[in-house]
Amino acid sequence: MRSVKSYQASSNSNLASMPQPLTARRSAPISGRVKVPGDKSISHRALILAGLAIGRTRIEGLLEADDVMVTARAMQALGAAVSRSGAAFEVLGQGVGGLARADGVLDFGNSGTASRLMLGVLAGYPMRVVLTGDASLCRRPMSRVLKPLAEMGLMVEGNKDTLPLTVEGTQDLLPIVYELPVPSAQVKSAILLAGLHAPGRTTVIEPLPTRDHTERMLRFFGAEVDVQTRENGTRAMTVGGDAELTGAHVVVPGDPSSAAFLVAAALVCPGSDVVIENVLLNPTRTGFFETLRDMGADIEILGLHDEAGEPVGDLQIRSSDLKGVRVPPERAASMIDEYPMLAALAAFAHGETRMEGLAELKVKESDRLAATAAGLVACGVEARVEGDDLIVSGTGAVRGGGVVETQMDHRIAMTFLTLGLGAEEPVSVDDIGMIATSFPSFVPLLTGLGAQFG
Ligand code: S3P
């Protein structure tokens, strides 16, 4: 068994490396059967809960991408041994409260999920830890997690909203009842993870449902989790404190947020027919596929079944004529990472697409609202931002051309490369380096289906 590359304090390899531009060209129909790599959200959670469990956890299908590896290294730095065993990973958990002292700085690279979820874990340990990340992560707001965690007892040095941050947890965390001011699965998860250490019950109330992988996986590892839908439609998630988790066998399904790019490629290359196997189809993640169906896309779900507590199935996509639609704000959480790709698809549709209530897009790896609109305009598409809404006027075809600035954002890079596969003129992006954070096999996988890059 090989151990995951040992944890290194504060290196910033992404910034140090040279930008790698790439061009996508109009492609012939793409076809074939593929699998996308494991879901990023579930992969982070599997490593964290495995480290907090007692005994050994085996994780199959873990996403081997930079974002997830920072979580693996952080858990390793805290004493949970993470090793590869054939195609799977094994984690030797230390129990909730059993993690060791972290030496030096924990570097979370580009990953908002890793840093925010780990803050929830660290809240329960009386040790002083410095958290940092790359230039993109160091611009992203942390007060959304720090505020509830401080209520529970986490001490935060300085009055700061961004990394680098120094924090000190405590063994005497207080359980809280916290209503999320923004719909964020990361904030919900950080509080529930901290709640594992607190005596009594910790409750998070969310105004709109966000991805529920933490709740599902906590149960899977044996924690006591109660989910109530309240009279006003909000949901309350309660975790029992002083929890004991037991090592488990986790199977990570394919990431629907990565599948979204393949679905889009099939839709924009006429004559395409693609099957994507083993995709996570949790209803808190399927807003993109539902919206595409509203737009007239031919997407079929095959063989829906449950695997390790999550719904999974195959997706069959055939290229289709799309029409513009209104995407209501209530749908935002269930497709928050897919808006750049949806906006690009809206440019290939006939008519206007209005995507409403996208304030959260402004605080992702880049300001995705602005970056998406700018990239579309650079490709000859009529697109504008009105407040928190994005409006795209589709004409059925996209001119393309131009170079899109990815702004250290993997999803902006993949969105505009995918758009280029169906555009009249080639589309270049300034740097594909960040794609490794979530979907390292994006280019080879699409090339294997017939897509043209370079
Ligand atoms: C994630 C939650 C979402 C999403 C991110 C992954 C998670 O962020 O954008 O890519 O795994 O919990 P928010 O919780 O900030 O909406």
Side-chain angles (χ1 to χ4, degrees):
M1 268 198 280
R2 206 149 50 81
S3 171
V4 170
K5 200 174 89 188
S6 68
Y7 168 74
Q8 306 210 321
S10 202
S11 74
N12 209 333
S13 55
N14 284 320
L15 277 187
S17 58
M18 295 288 288
Q20 295 168 257
L22 187 69
T23 300
R25 298 172 196 284
R26 195 181 182 110
S27 300
I30 63 164
S31 60
R33 293 181 80 86
V34 276
K35 271 195 171 130
V36 285
D39 184 67
K40 183 150 75 76
S41 295
I42 293 181
S43 295
H44 285 297
R45 289 158 172 81
L47 287 165
I48 292 173
L49 293 192
L52 295 175
I54 294 169
R56 204 173 281 279
T57 289
R58 184 174 170 81
I59 309 173
E60 281 175 48
L62 187 85
L63 171 64
E64 292 186 55
D66 290 354
D67 272 16
V68 174
M69 290 304 124
V70 299
T71 296
R73 282 178 213 135
M75 291 309 288
Q76 262 199 171
L78 296 166
V82 182
S83 58
R84 183 194 269 291
S85 163
F89 280 78
E90 283 196 355
V91 181
L92 190 56
Q94 302 299 314
V96 174
L99 293 176
R101 240 195 138 72
D103 290 323
V105 181
L106 292 180
D107 187 339
F108 290 98
N110 193 247
S111 181
T113 307
S115 55
R116 295 188 178 126
L117 266 52
M118 287 304 296
L119 273 164
V121 172
L122 293 167
Y125 290 90
M127 57 194 178
R128 208 166 159 269
V129 180
V130 179
L131 297 89
T132 191
D134 70 9
S136 156
L137 184 57
C138 287
R139 281 192 291 268
R140 299 181 65 186
M142 289 291 151
S143 57
R144 52 182 55 203
V145 265
L146 296 176
K147 185 173 175 290
L149 294 177
E151 272 182 37
M152 296 179 81
L154 179 74
M155 296 212 295
V156 186
E157 281 184 16
N159 190 12
K160 288 189 69 192
D161 184 27
T162 50
L163 301 186
L165 274 173
T166 306
V167 300
E168 191 169 337
T170 169
Q171 269 168 335
D172 299 316
L173 281 181
L174 296 171
I176 55 168
V177 176
Y178 192 77
E179 186 151 356
L180 296 179
V182 286
S184 166
Q186 293 175 357
V187 180
K188 168 176 68 177
S189 302
I191 300 168
L192 294 176
L193 288 169
L196 292 174
H197 296 265
R201 292 155 68 80
T202 295
T203 299
V204 183
I205 298 164
E206 55 180 9
L208 288 168
T210 65
R211 63 193 71 194
D212 61 357
H213 311 305
T214 303
E215 299 90 298
R216 286 175 187 251
M217 203 181 283
L218 277 169
R219 280 206 188 110
F220 195 69
F221 276 82
E224 187 199 312
V225 179
D226 177 53
V227 180
Q228 298 282 341
T229 301
R230 303 183 330 150
E231 269 170 26
N232 60 4
T234 60
R235 295 198 317 164
M237 275 69 51
T238 300
V239 69
D242 291 330
E244 270 196 20
L245 308 183
T246 311
H249 181 186
V250 180
V251 182
V252 183
D255 194 329
S257 298
S258 297
F261 298 109
L262 304 189
V263 169
L267 290 172
V268 301
C269 298
S272 298
D273 188 346
V274 173
V275 174
I276 312 172
E277 295 172 351
N278 194 45
V279 180
L280 170 71
L281 293 171
N282 178 316
T284 62
R285 297 287 296 280
T286 50
F288 178 71
F289 307 128
E290 280 152 36
T291 304
L292 288 179
R293 278 184 163 167
D294 293 348
M295 295 171 84
D298 181 352
I299 304 183
E300 258 185 273
I301 294 175
L302 312 166
L304 189 64
H305 64 284
D306 257 46
E307 210 165 273
E310 292 277 1
V312 178
D314 297 346
L315 292 176
Q316 176 155 33
I317 311 97
R318 299 185 188 91
S319 48
S320 323
D321 283 335
L322 303 177
K323 62 175 196 298
V325 292
R326 169 181 171 257
V327 189
E330 312 83 72
R331 202 175 284 176
S334 68
M335 54 178 293
I336 194 66
D337 293 335
E338 283 68 75
Y339 279 101
M341 195 63 256
L342 182 74
L345 283 173
F348 290 90
H350 291 275
E352 183 178 278
T353 293
R354 177 176 275 270
M355 290 152 272
E356 296 176 353
L358 305 186
E360 278 297 299
L361 280 196
K362 297 177 188 170
V363 290
K364 294 295 177 188
E365 286 82 330
S366 67
D367 174 348
R368 281 191 183 149
L369 203 47
T372 303
L376 288 174
V377 170
C379 292
V381 177
E382 205 186 307
R384 61 184 193 284
V385 175
E386 280 178 12
D388 295 337
D389 301 345
L390 178 58
I391 297 108
V392 177
S393 301
T395 57
V398 172
R399 188 202 69 209
V403 181
V404 173
E405 285 180 34
T406 54
Q407 303 184 16
M408 297 186 76
D409 189 328
H410 55 133
R411 296 202 199 278
I412 297 297
M414 290 187 279
T415 291
F416 286 97
L417 287 172
T418 307
L419 173 142
L421 302 177
E424 283 150 20
E425 293 168 27
V427 173
S428 300
V429 300
D430 62 354
D431 187 13
I432 60 164
M434 299 311 285
I435 293 177
T437 62
S438 69
F439 192 177
S441 55
F442 169 80
V443 170
L445 217 150
L446 267 168
T447 305
L449 292 174
Q452 297 247 331
F453 295 107

